[in-house]
Amino acid sequence: MSDAARLNRLDQEFVWHPFTQQQGWSEEEPLQIERGEGVYLFDVDGNRYIDGTASLWCNVHGHRHPDLDRAAHEQLDKVAHSTMLGLSHPGATELAARLVEIAPDGLRRVFYSDSGSTAAEIAVKMAFQYHQQRGDTGRTRFIRMRDAYHGDTLGSVSVGGIDLFHATYKPLLFDTLAAEPGDVDQMEGLLSAHEGEIAAVMMEPLIQGAAGMLVHPDGYLSAVRELCDRHGALLICDEVATGFGRTGTMFAVEQEGVVPDFLCLAKGITGGYLPLAATLTTEAVYKAFLGAPAEAKTFFHGHTYTGNPVACAVALANLDVFERERTVERLQPKIALIRRWLDEVAALPGVAEVRSRGVMVGIDLGEHDPELRVGHRVTLEARKRGALVRPLGDVVVLMPPLAIGETELETLLDITARSITATLASLPATEHA
């Protein structure tokens, strides 16, 4: 038995994959990724693939970047982990200062965790507790966007709005109010109808990733900020997917000059190397948690691996690479290339809509019988041609590492277009009627 066959047998016998219907998985041959180099991933048989989704939207500078590798190795020679409950360490301290330096003015405090879900959960809990400790105890409700996704822990699921992901858990969740993305009047109506009840509005700025790359109209984010100020609600911006250059600026909120009360970060914070997340907030929020021990104003939340030293060391190196390699600046021609390509893809037969912000791309293939798994078929076609892409239903998603070269990007875009064309041409005749 080959090594690949042995691994696949073990996988199908013992592993339960995330966001995966295991019955379908068991009917296909798993792809075992063994190593990476730059924007490429290699399977155990040596086949090479362009990493078209940045290993789930997190890889920034490519795989095996020497500076990030070196930072991890050097930190391992010191200490792999030390708790931040009652202790601190240089990496977490330095990184907090660097994050405050690059974040929008006014965000001054950094609370670490280890995933996008926890970064969002922390913001929700902080916002609620902030109002309670200020005596504004009626503010217990949250407004979220329709089709929102902020993670998979129960608090983050409560402020989510994708029925396929979240409906099953409804009996376990707290109730939230749904806003129509882009509709300023409706947002104002919600805040007015629930005056004094809203703790915070939570949103992904500019574009909702897991919703299928749903793009907000220009000015919507800044309008929501103004409405939150007018009605006394806090604003939570989840930049787990949009942060660290994905929309063409370091943070999406920069494009409308918005300073949220909470900024949730993860994914690209370590260049896609290690689990780390941060929830940034203002000094005003922070001060509401100060008091004598007997007052119990402490934020009682924490994780074993909060602020892990190896992850913090790599995150610091990641920010150094952003600066030294002018990553965001050098991204602009690639964004222009994607826009030109999308104009062509929009004209392909069977493509319903294309949506993008920066290097975040969604190609909507329209409504199909779910049993056909049209989006999944595109990923299999792309894999045969040497690229890894991932669908959200029948929306094909691209989000390559920011460091991808223009030639490699052109190859990825060409493979994606050809894979879409081949998939749509293979559908039953009834699907074309």
Side-chain angles (χ1 to χ4, degrees):
M1 180 183 294
S2 69
D3 194 42
R6 181 185 67 83
L7 289 168
N8 288 344
R9 179 181 61 79
L10 293 174
D11 184 289
Q12 292 185 331
E13 188 172 352
F14 298 115
V15 180
W16 193 341
H17 289 263
F19 281 89
T20 300
Q21 174 46 249
Q22 290 293 128
Q23 180 169 309
W25 177 267
S26 67
E27 296 166 356
E28 297 179 357
E29 184 175 328
L31 182 63
Q32 300 275 351
I33 298 299
E34 185 176 51
R35 63 187 180 90
E37 187 73 44
V39 298
Y40 293 98
L41 293 168
F42 297 79
D43 67 21
V44 292
D45 293 320
N47 299 308
R48 187 179 77 165
Y49 309 89
I50 298 175
D51 187 358
T53 57
S55 294
L56 204 58
W57 311 358
C58 66
N59 189 276
V60 176
H61 308 295
H63 301 277
R64 293 187 61 200
H65 191 289
D67 292 354
L68 304 190
D69 289 359
R70 187 180 308 111
H73 292 155
E74 290 177 355
Q75 183 59 45
L76 284 170
D77 286 337
K78 298 174 183 176
V79 62
H81 182 61
S82 172
T83 181
M84 291 196 70
L85 279 69
L87 298 174
S88 195
H89 64 84
T93 303
E94 296 283 358
L95 178 59
R98 290 284 296 278
L99 290 173
V100 167
E101 181 183 347
I102 64 173
D105 288 342
L107 295 170
R108 299 283 302 169
R109 296 288 172 168
V110 178
F111 193 101
Y112 292 114
S113 58
D114 45 28
S115 73
S117 298
T118 57
E121 186 108 1
I122 286 162
V124 168
K125 290 176 68 175
M126 279 185 177
F128 175 85
Q129 190 172 342
Y130 166 81
H131 289 296
Q132 297 300 303
Q133 292 178 176
R134 293 177 68 250
D136 206 353
T137 56
R139 292 190 179 274
T140 61
R141 308 195 71 180
F142 289 80
I143 295 176
R144 47 85 178 175
M145 298 294 115
R146 177 182 58 80
D147 291 331
Y149 176 83
H150 298 290
D152 303 318
T153 54
L154 287 179
S156 59
V157 170
S158 293
V159 288
I162 299 177
D163 283 346
L164 179 63
F165 299 165
H166 302 142
T168 298
Y169 309 106
K170 190 171 183 179
L172 303 176
L173 309 179
F174 61 81
D175 187 43
T176 55
L177 299 165
E180 186 67 26
D183 190 334
V184 176
D185 291 339
Q186 193 246 3
M187 176 65 77
E188 184 171 19
L190 281 174
L191 286 162
S192 296
H194 299 276
E195 192 70 53
E197 299 176 16
I198 305 303
V201 174
M202 189 162 190
M203 63 187 298
E204 291 176 88
L206 304 188
I207 181 171
Q208 293 176 224
M213 301 302 171
L214 180 64
V215 179
H216 296 172
D218 292 343
Y220 181 63
L221 172 63
S222 57
V224 173
R225 170 74 278 184
E226 192 276 329
L227 286 171
C228 286
D229 291 341
R230 190 190 311 170
H231 291 274
L234 299 173
L235 176 62
I236 303 170
C237 283
D238 176 354
E239 293 231 29
V240 170
T242 60
F244 297 99
R246 293 287 172 200
T247 65
T249 51
M250 183 61 85
F251 302 115
V253 292
E254 297 174 27
Q255 296 186 34
E256 295 198 7
V258 165
V259 180
D261 299 290
F262 297 91
L263 186 69
C264 304
L265 305 175
K267 289 192 182 291
I269 194 171
T270 64
Y273 265 52
L274 290 162
L276 183 68
T279 304
L280 278 63
T281 191
T282 64
E283 198 71 9
V285 169
Y286 173 78
K287 286 182 177 179
F289 288 77
L290 301 181
E295 294 181 84
K297 288 185 175 181
T298 299
F299 184 54
F300 292 104
H301 187 109
H303 302 271
T304 301
Y305 287 96
T306 287
N308 171 261
V310 181
C312 287
V314 175
L316 283 164
N318 173 46
L319 295 180
D320 288 341
V321 175
F322 259 105
E323 186 175 326
R324 185 173 59 256
E325 296 187 359
R326 298 181 293 114
T327 303
V328 174
E329 179 184 339
R330 294 171 62 189
L331 191 62
Q332 304 313 310
K334 303 170 197 176
I335 294 172
L337 173 60
I338 289 171
R339 286 174 179 158
R340 292 194 298 271
W341 174 78
L342 282 173
D343 288 340
E344 299 175 10
V345 170
L348 291 177
V351 171
E353 186 179 22
V354 297
R355 301 183 287 268
S356 73
R357 278 277 192 173
V359 296
M360 302 176 68
V361 175
I363 304 162
D364 193 331
L365 303 182
E367 299 269 337
H368 295 278
D369 182 346
E371 293 296 321
L372 291 173
R373 303 183 72 194
V374 172
H376 179 64
R377 288 189 185 197
V378 174
T379 69
L380 297 180
E381 290 287 342
R383 191 180 299 178
K384 289 190 291 187
R385 293 167 170 81
L388 300 178
V389 301
R390 182 172 172 80
L392 289 163
D394 290 336
V395 177
V396 177
V397 170
L398 293 179
M399 200 187 298
L402 303 190
I404 192 170
E406 290 191 38
T407 299
E408 296 158 325
L409 178 58
E410 287 176 344
T411 300
L412 172 63
L413 299 178
D414 178 64
I415 288 173
T416 304
R418 289 192 288 124
S419 299
I420 290 170
T421 299
T423 297
L424 295 177
S426 72
L427 297 181
T430 54
E431 283 287 309
H432 300 286

